[in-house]
Amino acid sequence: MKLLEIIDKTSIGKWVEKKQSTIENTDPKKIYVENIRSFFGMSTKVARFFCDLAVREKKLTKHIGYICPNSNCKKIMFSEEYGNTTKHLDVECQNCEIRGEENFQFDKANLDSIIFYKLVGND
């Protein structure tokens, strides 16, 4: 048997397969610190440091996603590149508007947000 076939049948092979699956299922347009933390088995603080380091090296760009406050939605309505944001802006959640929700327009200043990263060249 070839070495790789032997490895595939061991717990190491299962570990490698899980890591490969994680990479394949990560959207290069929305990489969260938690993705990095989980993949490499490091703390959130260290994962955030490595993400920010990749931004400085122009491998990733940093973004702020604004989350719809409707309890049955909670999706990112829109995002802006970190450091290049607009002050106040009225925004609409297209998902909620399509579903016919009463509230689908919000003031950006009142929205929860989340930081995520994009792989450079995946716009």
Side-chain angles (χ1 to χ4, degrees), residues 17-41:
E17 186 177 314
K18 182 179 174 190
K19 295 297 181 183
Q20 181 179 352
S21 175
T22 300
I23 290 170
E24 289 171 354
N25 292 319
T26 299
D27 181 355
K29 295 179 183 177
K30 284 196 180 134
I31 301 169
Y32 297 95
V33 169
E34 175 57 24
N35 298 129
I36 304 303
R37 187 210 65 74
S38 174
F39 184 82
F40 291 106

mmCIF file of all heavy atoms in Angstrom, residues 17-41:
data_model
loop_
_atom_site.group_PDB
_atom_site.id
_atom_site.type_symbol
_atom_site.label_atom_id
_atom_site.label_comp_id
_atom_site.label_asym_id
_atom_site.label_seq_id
_atom_site.Cartn_x
_atom_site.Cartn_y
_atom_site.Cartn_z
ATOM 1 N N GLU A 17 -8.913 14.940 6.326
ATOM 2 C CA GLU A 17 -10.171 15.050 5.585
ATOM 3 C C GLU A 17 -11.072 16.127 6.187
ATOM 4 O O GLU A 17 -11.695 16.906 5.462
ATOM 5 C CB GLU A 17 -10.892 13.703 5.607
ATOM 6 C CG GLU A 17 -12.130 13.658 4.749
ATOM 7 C CD GLU A 17 -12.768 12.277 4.757
ATOM 8 O OE1 GLU A 17 -12.046 11.289 4.604
ATOM 9 O OE2 GLU A 17 -13.995 12.214 4.932
ATOM 10 N N LYS A 18 -11.113 16.197 7.511
ATOM 11 C CA LYS A 18 -11.927 17.227 8.184
ATOM 12 C C LYS A 18 -11.390 18.623 7.867
ATOM 13 O O LYS A 18 -12.162 19.540 7.586
ATOM 14 C CB LYS A 18 -11.927 16.993 9.694
ATOM 15 C CG LYS A 18 -12.770 17.966 10.454
ATOM 16 C CD LYS A 18 -12.748 17.683 11.933
ATOM 17 C CE LYS A 18 -13.496 18.762 12.681
ATOM 18 N NZ LYS A 18 -13.325 18.670 14.113
ATOM 19 N N LYS A 19 -10.082 18.788 7.887
ATOM 20 C CA LYS A 19 -9.478 20.088 7.573
ATOM 21 C C LYS A 19 -9.762 20.467 6.117
ATOM 22 O O LYS A 19 -10.086 21.609 5.818
ATOM 23 C CB LYS A 19 -7.966 20.076 7.836
ATOM 24 C CG LYS A 19 -7.587 19.889 9.280
ATOM 25 C CD LYS A 19 -8.072 21.016 10.148
ATOM 26 C CE LYS A 19 -7.644 20.815 11.582
ATOM 27 N NZ LYS A 19 -8.155 21.832 12.471
ATOM 28 N N GLN A 20 -9.666 19.499 5.220
ATOM 29 C CA GLN A 20 -9.946 19.751 3.812
ATOM 30 C C GLN A 20 -11.398 20.168 3.632
ATOM 31 O O GLN A 20 -11.697 21.104 2.893
ATOM 32 C CB GLN A 20 -9.649 18.505 2.975
ATOM 33 C CG GLN A 20 -9.901 18.703 1.501
ATOM 34 C CD GLN A 20 -9.585 17.448 0.692
ATOM 35 O OE1 GLN A 20 -9.042 16.482 1.213
ATOM 36 N NE2 GLN A 20 -9.930 17.474 -0.573
ATOM 37 N N SER A 21 -12.297 19.519 4.327
ATOM 38 C CA SER A 21 -13.721 19.859 4.249
ATOM 39 C C SER A 21 -13.967 21.272 4.766
ATOM 40 O O SER A 21 -14.749 22.025 4.185
ATOM 41 C CB SER A 21 -14.541 18.851 5.046
ATOM 42 O OG SER A 21 -15.888 19.220 5.078
ATOM 43 N N THR A 22 -13.290 21.630 5.852
ATOM 44 C CA THR A 22 -13.436 22.976 6.414
ATOM 45 C C THR A 22 -13.002 24.027 5.396
ATOM 46 O O THR A 22 -13.681 25.030 5.195
ATOM 47 C CB THR A 22 -12.604 23.116 7.707
ATOM 48 O OG1 THR A 22 -13.069 22.164 8.661
ATOM 49 C CG2 THR A 22 -12.708 24.516 8.287
ATOM 50 N N ILE A 23 -11.884 23.790 4.726
ATOM 51 C CA ILE A 23 -11.391 24.731 3.721
ATOM 52 C C ILE A 23 -12.375 24.827 2.558
ATOM 53 O O ILE A 23 -12.712 25.917 2.095
ATOM 54 C CB ILE A 23 -9.989 24.326 3.217
ATOM 55 C CG1 ILE A 23 -8.962 24.540 4.327
ATOM 56 C CG2 ILE A 23 -9.607 25.109 1.968
ATOM 57 C CD1 ILE A 23 -7.600 23.966 4.037
ATOM 58 N N GLU A 24 -12.854 23.684 2.083
ATOM 59 C CA GLU A 24 -13.775 23.669 0.945
ATOM 60 C C GLU A 24 -15.089 24.374 1.258
ATOM 61 O O GLU A 24 -15.714 24.950 0.375
ATOM 62 C CB GLU A 24 -14.055 22.231 0.506
ATOM 63 C CG GLU A 24 -12.871 21.573 -0.164
ATOM 64 C CD GLU A 24 -13.060 20.084 -0.402
ATOM 65 O OE1 GLU A 24 -14.085 19.520 0.052
ATOM 66 O OE2 GLU A 24 -12.178 19.491 -1.031
ATOM 67 N N ASN A 25 -15.521 24.344 2.522
ATOM 68 C CA ASN A 25 -16.801 24.933 2.906
ATOM 69 C C ASN A 25 -16.690 26.363 3.422
ATOM 70 O O ASN A 25 -17.675 26.940 3.858
ATOM 71 C CB ASN A 25 -17.494 24.049 3.955
ATOM 72 C CG ASN A 25 -17.932 22.729 3.366
ATOM 73 O OD1 ASN A 25 -18.429 22.678 2.250
ATOM 74 N ND2 ASN A 25 -17.727 21.659 4.100
ATOM 75 N N THR A 26 -15.499 26.932 3.383
ATOM 76 C CA THR A 26 -15.306 28.318 3.807
ATOM 77 C C THR A 26 -15.419 29.221 2.592
ATOM 78 O O THR A 26 -14.725 29.037 1.603
ATOM 79 C CB THR A 26 -13.927 28.488 4.487
ATOM 80 O OG1 THR A 26 -13.880 27.652 5.645
ATOM 81 C CG2 THR A 26 -13.708 29.933 4.904
ATOM 82 N N ASP A 27 -16.315 30.183 2.691
ATOM 83 C CA ASP A 27 -16.525 31.146 1.612
ATOM 84 C C ASP A 27 -15.367 32.147 1.617
ATOM 85 O O ASP A 27 -15.171 32.851 2.613
ATOM 86 C CB ASP A 27 -17.855 31.868 1.833
ATOM 87 C CG ASP A 27 -18.195 32.876 0.753
ATOM 88 O OD1 ASP A 27 -17.375 33.115 -0.146
ATOM 89 O OD2 ASP A 27 -19.314 33.424 0.820
ATOM 90 N N PRO A 28 -14.580 32.246 0.537
ATOM 91 C CA PRO A 28 -13.448 33.186 0.539
ATOM 92 C C PRO A 28 -13.885 34.640 0.604
ATOM 93 O O PRO A 28 -13.074 35.525 0.832
ATOM 94 C CB PRO A 28 -12.726 32.883 -0.786
ATOM 95 C CG PRO A 28 -13.721 32.182 -1.634
ATOM 96 C CD PRO A 28 -14.702 31.506 -0.710
ATOM 97 N N LYS A 29 -15.192 34.896 0.439
ATOM 98 C CA LYS A 29 -15.706 36.261 0.551
ATOM 99 C C LYS A 29 -16.185 36.573 1.966
ATOM 100 O O LYS A 29 -16.516 37.715 2.266
ATOM 101 C CB LYS A 29 -16.850 36.477 -0.441
ATOM 102 C CG LYS A 29 -16.400 36.394 -1.878
ATOM 103 C CD LYS A 29 -17.553 36.598 -2.820
ATOM 104 C CE LYS A 29 -17.100 36.447 -4.258
ATOM 105 N NZ LYS A 29 -18.208 36.578 -5.184
ATOM 106 N N LYS A 30 -16.244 35.568 2.824
ATOM 107 C CA LYS A 30 -16.655 35.777 4.218
ATOM 108 C C LYS A 30 -15.898 34.810 5.120
ATOM 109 O O LYS A 30 -16.371 33.742 5.467
ATOM 110 C CB LYS A 30 -18.163 35.576 4.382
ATOM 111 C CG LYS A 30 -18.963 36.738 3.865
ATOM 112 C CD LYS A 30 -20.384 36.698 4.365
ATOM 113 C CE LYS A 30 -21.126 37.888 3.819
ATOM 114 N NZ LYS A 30 -22.411 37.554 3.297
ATOM 115 N N ILE A 31 -14.710 35.223 5.484
ATOM 116 C CA ILE A 31 -13.872 34.433 6.385
ATOM 117 C C ILE A 31 -13.964 35.081 7.760
ATOM 118 O O ILE A 31 -13.618 36.243 7.931
ATOM 119 C CB ILE A 31 -12.407 34.411 5.906
ATOM 120 C CG1 ILE A 31 -12.332 33.823 4.496
ATOM 121 C CG2 ILE A 31 -11.541 33.633 6.884
ATOM 122 C CD1 ILE A 31 -10.986 33.982 3.828
ATOM 123 N N TYR A 32 -14.454 34.326 8.717
ATOM 124 C CA TYR A 32 -14.611 34.836 10.078
ATOM 125 C C TYR A 32 -13.434 34.387 10.937
ATOM 126 O O TYR A 32 -12.820 33.347 10.684
ATOM 127 C CB TYR A 32 -15.922 34.338 10.683
ATOM 128 C CG TYR A 32 -17.134 34.835 9.930
ATOM 129 C CD1 TYR A 32 -17.732 34.061 8.940
ATOM 130 C CD2 TYR A 32 -17.665 36.097 10.185
ATOM 131 C CE1 TYR A 32 -18.833 34.524 8.235
ATOM 132 C CE2 TYR A 32 -18.760 36.568 9.491
ATOM 133 C CZ TYR A 32 -19.340 35.774 8.516
ATOM 134 O OH TYR A 32 -20.421 36.233 7.815
ATOM 135 N N VAL A 33 -13.135 35.171 11.962
ATOM 136 C CA VAL A 33 -12.070 34.816 12.899
ATOM 137 C C VAL A 33 -12.322 33.412 13.443
ATOM 138 O O VAL A 33 -11.387 32.621 13.598
ATOM 139 C CB VAL A 33 -11.972 35.864 14.034
ATOM 140 C CG1 VAL A 33 -11.062 35.377 15.148
ATOM 141 C CG2 VAL A 33 -11.474 37.196 13.494
ATOM 142 N N GLU A 34 -13.562 33.070 13.676
ATOM 143 C CA GLU A 34 -13.901 31.750 14.200
ATOM 144 C C GLU A 34 -13.466 30.642 13.234
ATOM 145 O O GLU A 34 -13.038 29.569 13.671
ATOM 146 C CB GLU A 34 -15.401 31.649 14.485
ATOM 147 C CG GLU A 34 -15.869 30.282 14.931
ATOM 148 C CD GLU A 34 -15.181 29.736 16.183
ATOM 149 O OE1 GLU A 34 -14.668 30.516 16.998
ATOM 150 O OE2 GLU A 34 -15.143 28.498 16.337
ATOM 151 N N ASN A 35 -13.566 30.870 11.915
ATOM 152 C CA ASN A 35 -13.084 29.884 10.945
ATOM 153 C C ASN A 35 -11.597 29.601 11.169
ATOM 154 O O ASN A 35 -11.170 28.442 11.192
ATOM 155 C CB ASN A 35 -13.248 30.375 9.498
ATOM 156 C CG ASN A 35 -14.671 30.633 9.089
ATOM 157 O OD1 ASN A 35 -14.965 31.704 8.580
ATOM 158 N ND2 ASN A 35 -15.554 29.684 9.280
ATOM 159 N N ILE A 36 -10.826 30.654 11.320
ATOM 160 C CA ILE A 36 -9.374 30.534 11.501
ATOM 161 C C ILE A 36 -9.068 29.900 12.854
ATOM 162 O O ILE A 36 -8.231 29.001 12.955
ATOM 163 C CB ILE A 36 -8.690 31.914 11.371
ATOM 164 C CG1 ILE A 36 -9.029 32.571 10.022
ATOM 165 C CG2 ILE A 36 -7.191 31.814 11.578
ATOM 166 C CD1 ILE A 36 -8.679 31.753 8.799
ATOM 167 N N ARG A 37 -9.762 30.359 13.896
ATOM 168 C CA ARG A 37 -9.549 29.819 15.239
ATOM 169 C C ARG A 37 -9.793 28.318 15.267
ATOM 170 O O ARG A 37 -8.989 27.540 15.763
ATOM 171 C CB ARG A 37 -10.484 30.522 16.238
ATOM 172 C CG ARG A 37 -10.197 30.137 17.692
ATOM 173 C CD ARG A 37 -11.440 30.191 18.547
ATOM 174 N NE ARG A 37 -12.444 29.237 18.171
ATOM 175 C CZ ARG A 37 -12.403 27.922 18.398
ATOM 176 N NH1 ARG A 37 -11.361 27.377 18.973
ATOM 177 N NH2 ARG A 37 -13.391 27.134 18.035
ATOM 178 N N SER A 38 -10.906 27.913 14.686
ATOM 179 C CA SER A 38 -11.281 26.508 14.685
ATOM 180 C C SER A 38 -10.321 25.666 13.846
ATOM 181 O O SER A 38 -9.890 24.591 14.263
ATOM 182 C CB SER A 38 -12.704 26.373 14.145
ATOM 183 O OG SER A 38 -13.060 25.030 14.000
ATOM 184 N N PHE A 39 -9.975 26.150 12.675
ATOM 185 C CA PHE A 39 -9.113 25.385 11.780
ATOM 186 C C PHE A 39 -7.741 25.119 12.397
ATOM 187 O O PHE A 39 -7.232 24.008 12.358
ATOM 188 C CB PHE A 39 -8.947 26.119 10.446
ATOM 189 C CG PHE A 39 -8.136 25.338 9.448
ATOM 190 C CD1 PHE A 39 -8.734 24.344 8.693
ATOM 191 C CD2 PHE A 39 -6.788 25.589 9.278
ATOM 192 C CE1 PHE A 39 -7.992 23.603 7.784
ATOM 193 C CE2 PHE A 39 -6.042 24.854 8.364
ATOM 194 C CZ PHE A 39 -6.644 23.865 7.619
ATOM 195 N N PHE A 40 -7.131 26.166 12.969
ATOM 196 C CA PHE A 40 -5.784 26.027 13.500
ATOM 197 C C PHE A 40 -5.746 25.678 14.987
ATOM 198 O O PHE A 40 -4.676 25.444 15.535
ATOM 199 C CB PHE A 40 -4.977 27.312 13.254
ATOM 200 C CG PHE A 40 -4.660 27.527 11.803
ATOM 201 C CD1 PHE A 40 -5.325 28.498 11.077
ATOM 202 C CD2 PHE A 40 -3.722 26.753 11.160
ATOM 203 C CE1 PHE A 40 -5.040 28.701 9.736
ATOM 204 C CE2 PHE A 40 -3.425 26.938 9.819
ATOM 205 C CZ PHE A 40 -4.091 27.916 9.105
ATOM 206 N N GLY A 41 -6.917 25.665 15.644
ATOM 207 C CA GLY A 41 -6.959 25.303 17.064
ATOM 208 C C GLY A 41 -6.260 26.319 17.940
ATOM 209 O O GLY A 41 -5.520 25.966 18.861
#
